[in-house]
Amino acid sequence: MTNLILLEHFTSQSNIDCKQDKIILREAMNIANTIIENFINHPKLNKLFVLRNYKLRTIKSEKIIYCPINKKNSYEKVLNKFVKNDNIILIAPEINKESINYYYKLKDKFKLLGSNFNTIKVFSSKIKTLEVLKKKKIPVIQFSKSNKTLSNKIVVKPEYGAGSSQVLFAGNEFPKKTKKSLIFQKFYEGIKGSFLMLCSKGLAKVLCCNEQIVKINKRKISQTGCIIGGLEPHRKEIEFLAENICRNFRGFSGIIGVDIVRYKNKWLVLEVNPRFTSSYCALTKSYSYETVQDVSSFYLTKHFSDFVPEFIKPYIYNF
């Protein structure tokens, strides 16, 4: 039997404005609650300690122990009460190097269930991600640190960012005085997609193949949802890409999300997110329940099974 700590960045802050941060909190809660609901049903879980702001709703279960966070009781204070080498699942965005900072603070005390620290440092950066993938001859989009070296339509976004809230077309970019490091990418008209994979010691298992639902206007691009299982006809190609990534980067462990785009009958990598992503929330809508149980089993037992996800039907998941 295993005890776990769940620390999700947005929902474990001491001060939360539920009205102002409504959209971000909703998705963060969805991810955290889906993890909770799936893990508490696994026989190998003993207790799940959830760090959560006291204002936010909770799920009732004998297996869950909530650690309320408020202005006087920060998540740091709560974590100090746990013993060295306790298991922790961390979900933190790449924005402003949040995920790197969390890993750096926690890695010496806790067993972080996920990719190793060096992998997090590289793949939290959109520039470093594409550079290392390109060196391994893994197909990636055209990118640059300057908009002067790319032709055609260009997209600009922060080097350290998450989601699509700050993905703009060049000409509408950030103020010139911004301190953010930016990445410039060629815009591709093709199908946008993503996939979730479970990784361990160079092995990869594709859990779902999704088509992204994207809204585009003159100023920006935003993802509003995805069709879970929408890219199943392309599974063989996606599996080949996933295996290539994990074989070359053995530091990946656990759930990994990869964004891709179709160009000239080939899938190109846009970015890699070494953490639970929104797609995980709707896995059971398109795939057998055993798929999420396989994920839980890996985190609780470290065993990478030969289970193959069973696709049932596509499902539209709106953010």
Side-chain angles (χ1 to χ4, degrees):
M1 300 286 280
T2 302
N3 291 332
L4 285 181
I5 303 165
L6 176 61
L7 174 62
E8 193 287 320
H9 167 70
F10 293 106
T11 56
S12 62
Q13 297 303 300
S14 298
N15 189 24
I16 285 179
D17 187 332
C18 294
K19 292 183 178 179
Q20 183 175 341
D21 304 324
K22 184 177 179 180
I23 295 176
I24 292 175
L25 278 174
R26 182 179 63 198
E27 201 55 34
M29 285 282 285
N30 282 344
I31 294 173
N33 284 346
T34 304
I35 292 172
I36 293 168
E37 290 166 352
N38 290 335
F39 276 62
I40 61 175
N41 288 323
H42 198 283
K44 291 292 183 181
L45 178 70
N46 182 35
K47 294 295 181 182
L48 179 60
F49 296 86
V50 179
L51 280 68
R52 179 167 289 184
N53 185 279
Y54 75 101
K55 294 180 182 179
L56 303 175
R57 63 184 176 85
T58 59
I59 296 171
K60 304 300 181 184
S61 169
E62 292 182 355
K63 287 189 175 184
I64 305 173
I65 298 176
Y66 282 98
C67 305
I69 307 299
N70 54 49
K71 291 180 180 180
K72 293 182 179 181
N73 195 40
S74 67
Y75 79 84
E76 291 97 338
K77 286 184 179 180
V78 172
L79 289 177
N80 284 336
K81 298 175 183 178
F82 290 92
V83 300
K84 189 176 178 66
N85 291 325
D86 276 347
N87 296 305
I88 185 167
I89 293 178
L90 170 66
I91 309 163
E94 295 73 30
I95 298 170
N96 299 325
K97 299 186 180 181
E98 290 285 3
S99 57
I100 295 175
N101 294 333
Y102 270 99
Y103 267 76
Y104 184 77
K105 287 191 290 187
L106 301 176
K107 65 184 179 66
D108 293 330
K109 180 174 180 178
F110 297 98
K111 285 184 180 178
L112 286 153
L113 304 184
S115 303
N116 64 34
F117 185 50
N118 287 334
T119 300
I120 294 296
K121 284 195 294 184
V122 171
F123 287 90
S124 291
S125 160
K126 299 185 191 306
I127 292 174
K128 291 177 182 176
T129 294
L130 297 175
E131 286 177 340
V132 297
L133 291 175
K134 189 175 181 180
K135 283 182 181 178
K136 295 295 184 179
K137 301 190 184 321
I138 295 169
V140 300
I141 58 167
Q142 288 185 31
F143 68 99
S144 173
K145 297 177 184 179
S146 168
N147 64 352
K148 296 178 182 178
T149 59
L150 295 174
S151 57
N152 301 320
K153 211 169 188 178
I154 300 169
V155 172
V156 58
K157 61 179 80 169
E159 178 185 359
Y160 293 94
S164 58
S165 61
Q166 292 184 302
V167 181
L168 308 174
F169 284 114
N172 299 289
E173 57 258 40
F174 304 86
K176 292 182 179 180
K177 293 182 179 180
T178 183
K179 294 181 180 180
K180 292 179 182 289
S181 174
L182 303 176
I183 179 172
F184 298 85
Q185 302 173 345
K186 175 182 174 181
F187 173 72
Y188 294 82
E189 298 283 356
I191 298 171
K192 280 74 176 174
S194 67
F195 62 89
L196 271 187
M197 59 181 176
L198 189 63
C199 303
S200 177
K201 300 175 182 177
L203 299 176
K205 180 190 302 182
V206 174
L207 302 173
C208 60
C209 309
N210 315 314
E211 181 176 348
Q212 292 184 348
I213 302 171
V214 178
K215 182 180 179 181
I216 301 174
N217 59 36
K218 292 181 179 180
R219 184 173 182 270
K220 63 179 294 185
I221 305 171
S222 57
Q223 184 184 357
T224 60
C226 59
I227 305 172
I228 307 295
L231 293 184
E232 275 297 321
H234 299 270
R235 173 170 278 271
K236 289 297 182 184
E237 289 178 80
I238 290 172
E239 286 180 334
F240 180 81
L241 180 58
E243 290 164 3
N244 198 6
I245 293 172
C246 283
R247 186 171 57 249
N248 281 285
F249 302 96
R250 298 176 66 87
F252 282 127
S253 181
I255 286 272
I256 309 295
V258 183
D259 289 346
I260 52 179
V261 63
R262 191 73 170 170
Y263 180 67
K264 293 185 176 179
N265 296 317
K266 185 164 64 174
W267 290 107
L268 307 180
V269 175
L270 280 161
E271 58 186 72
V272 179
N273 300 303
R275 55 176 169 78
F276 283 83
T277 68
S278 298
S279 300
Y280 174 76
C281 300
L283 262 182
T284 55
K285 300 292 186 180
S286 290
Y287 296 83
S288 63
Y289 183 71
E290 289 77 15
T291 306
V292 293
Q293 284 296 83
D294 187 53
V295 174
S296 303
S297 290
F298 176 77
Y299 279 88
L300 291 165
T301 68
K302 313 296 192 295
H303 175 62
F304 191 82
S305 75
D306 57 3
F307 168 80
V308 178
E310 179 189 352
F311 176 62
I312 300 172
K313 62 180 180 179
Y315 175 79
I316 297 176
Y317 177 60
N318 294 307
F319 297 163

